[in-house]
Every structure is written in C-alpha cells, then in structure tokens.
Amino acid sequence: AQLLRCAKYLSAAQRATEFLLQKMYMKETGLLLRRFHSGEAAIPGFLDDYAFLILALLDLYEACFDSQYLQIAVDLAQRGLNRFEDHQNGGFFSTEAGDPHLLLRIKDDYDGAEPSGNSAATEALFRLAQITGDLSFRERAEKSLQAFSAKLREQPVTAPYLLASVGRWLMGPRQIVVRCAERSPRAEQILNETRQQFLPYASCFLVSDADVPLLASIAPFVAGLERKGAITLYECKNFVCELPKNFD
C-alpha cells in the first residue's frame, strides 16, 4: 500500500490488524495471544509474536497514519516486550519467566527463514525511538545490540536483520513530516514525492490538525511541528529540522 498506493492492499492490512486487535490482544493487561481456532483465542504469545506485531503496526501507521496503531505499538513495546526482556544483560528471552513447563529460557539470535525475535524486537525499539523521541526505547535497543555484539563480530551472516538495526543505529533517527490542515490528495502527493527518495531509515508522518491531540501524547516532537500554511513539509535528522517548505 505504501509503495503502490493501492487502497485494496491497505484495506486488507487494516482488516487483518483489526481482527488481531479485537480477538487476540487483551487491552486491559497488554497480553497478546498466539492462536485462534473455532472462535477461541488462547496460548500466551512468545517474543516473536509481540515483536512482529509491533513492526506490522508501525508499517500500518506509516501507510494510513491512524495514530491508534502507533499507540498500541507503544503499549506492546512497554508492557509486552517487558515480559521477555533480560534487564540485566540485554536482549530478550523467547518466553516469559515463571512458566513451570520450561527447563530453561533461551535467547534466539539466528535469522533464518524468519528473523529472530531478538532482531525484530531490537528493530521495533529503534523505530519507536525515532518516531516517539522516547530515549528509553533507544536505550533498550542499544542494550540488545550490545548483548549480541560478540556474535555479530564473529558470525555476522547469521543475523542479517540485526545488522540492519545496526545500520539504523549508526544513521540515527530521521523524520519526514507533512503537516496539513486536513488530509488531502495534495498532502499525500507531497509525502509520496518525498518517499521516492531512497530513505531506508526514515520515519514518515502525515499529520492533520485533527491528529495532533492524540499524537501529542505519543510523539510530542512531531505533533509540535507547526503548520505554516495549508501544508508544510519538514525534513528532520535526529529531531532537528531543516527550514520547512510551505505549500498552498
């Protein structure tokens, strides 16, 4: 949907996400379930489930710019990933603590056919840090990189997705923000023209006046950028913006 600007793909992504959030996400506790069958959701999620859903929510936010998806991604990172985090040594266990059926808790660090939960969680935290400006997300991601640094030096080909997070860490946060009075084809066109550049580590935002109140509690830096005219484009690096470009 982001690349092709195809409404049916966005609609399919939103339907899939709404099913997961309504049937398999417990908003009161922050618990995510991993199995749905015959109308019943069950089995507490593993690290992978939380990390990949956070990434999906961030992708969906940057496709439709509905702040509720960003809000849930933040919640899953704060309450969800906390269930698995090794707060002392960094990185994440695949399972929660206290499960009597487990002999030991492992930290998966191999990116095979699918990226490992640790690689996905680290990438998710870095992305959240550059979207929200919350340094605690970045600190947790950096601690995870440090935990696997020896493995990355000795066998980098075993964790290519984690290496992509190293690239994001080295490049630092970058934000592309289109601030507009209301959503319009013209505002979307300006954002899409900017997206045609190769900016693999940039986060993109389309922020209307109506989006500001909710976004202010999640990403205050982005929400605080003022609209100078009908549409204003900001290009920022590490939360420092170039001179804005105004459009009628």
Side-chain angles (χ1 to χ4, degrees):
Q2 289 184 39
L3 295 175
L4 302 179
R5 299 187 288 280
C6 181
K8 71 175 183 179
Y9 295 150
L10 177 57
S11 178
Q14 289 174 313
R15 288 196 305 271
T17 302
E18 290 303 323
F19 173 83
L20 292 173
L21 296 180
Q22 292 174 19
K23 302 292 186 180
M24 305 181 74
Y25 167 62
M26 309 294 104
K27 184 177 181 180
E28 297 76 13
T29 62
L31 179 67
L32 187 64
L33 302 176
R34 67 174 285 115
R35 189 270 286 159
F36 188 88
H37 178 66
S38 299
E40 178 195 22
I43 306 177
F46 299 153
L47 169 64
D48 308 57
D49 300 304
Y50 286 86
F52 282 116
L53 183 55
I54 293 169
L55 290 172
L57 288 166
L58 296 181
D59 285 340
L60 183 54
Y61 170 73
E62 292 194 53
C64 69
F65 302 102
D66 185 336
S67 297
Q68 69 160 329
Y69 298 126
L70 183 55
Q71 187 177 44
I72 296 170
V74 168
D75 179 64
L76 287 171
Q78 290 176 336
R79 291 194 293 173
L81 292 184
N82 186 61
R83 302 170 188 268
F84 307 92
E85 193 163 1
D86 183 343
H87 296 283
Q88 181 175 355
N89 302 306
F92 299 84
F93 296 103
S94 297
T95 54
E96 293 187 51
D99 189 332
H101 301 95
L102 296 176
L103 296 177
L104 55 87
R105 299 172 74 199
I106 64 171
K107 289 183 182 178
D108 185 15
D109 60 358
Y110 175 69
D111 294 336
E114 296 178 355
S116 70
N118 270 287
S119 295
T122 303
E123 176 71 359
L125 289 170
F126 273 129
R127 287 183 65 182
L128 280 168
Q130 72 179 43
I131 289 172
T132 66
D134 187 338
L135 292 179
S136 68
F137 289 134
R138 183 177 177 87
E139 290 167 359
R140 293 164 68 189
E142 289 175 340
K143 195 172 181 179
S144 180
L145 283 184
Q146 183 63 38
F148 298 106
S149 60
K151 179 71 173 290
L152 287 175
R153 284 194 296 267
E154 295 169 5
Q155 297 176 301
V157 296
T158 64
Y161 197 61
L162 193 58
L163 283 175
S165 290
V166 174
R168 186 179 292 277
W169 172 63
L170 291 172
M171 289 294 293
R174 183 168 184 174
Q175 301 85 16
I176 307 297
V177 184
V178 172
R179 185 69 178 82
C180 54
E182 58 184 8
R183 303 281 180 89
S184 67
R186 176 59 174 151
E188 293 178 1
Q189 178 189 11
I190 292 169
L191 179 60
N192 289 330
E193 287 175 352
T194 306
R195 275 178 160 171
Q196 290 177 6
Q197 305 173 54
F198 182 65
L199 302 170
Y201 296 122
S203 296
C204 295
F205 304 83
L206 182 61
V207 182
S208 70
D209 290 350
D211 297 322
V212 170
L214 178 56
L215 196 61
S217 63
I218 307 168
F221 170 79
V222 172
L225 295 176
E226 296 182 356
R227 176 172 57 82
K228 305 295 185 180
I231 303 172
T232 303
L233 171 66
Y234 290 91
E235 298 186 54
C236 313
K237 293 182 179 180
N238 199 21
F239 302 100
V240 177
C241 300
E242 299 176 2
L243 291 175
K245 301 174 184 177
N246 296 314
F247 303 84
D248 295 328

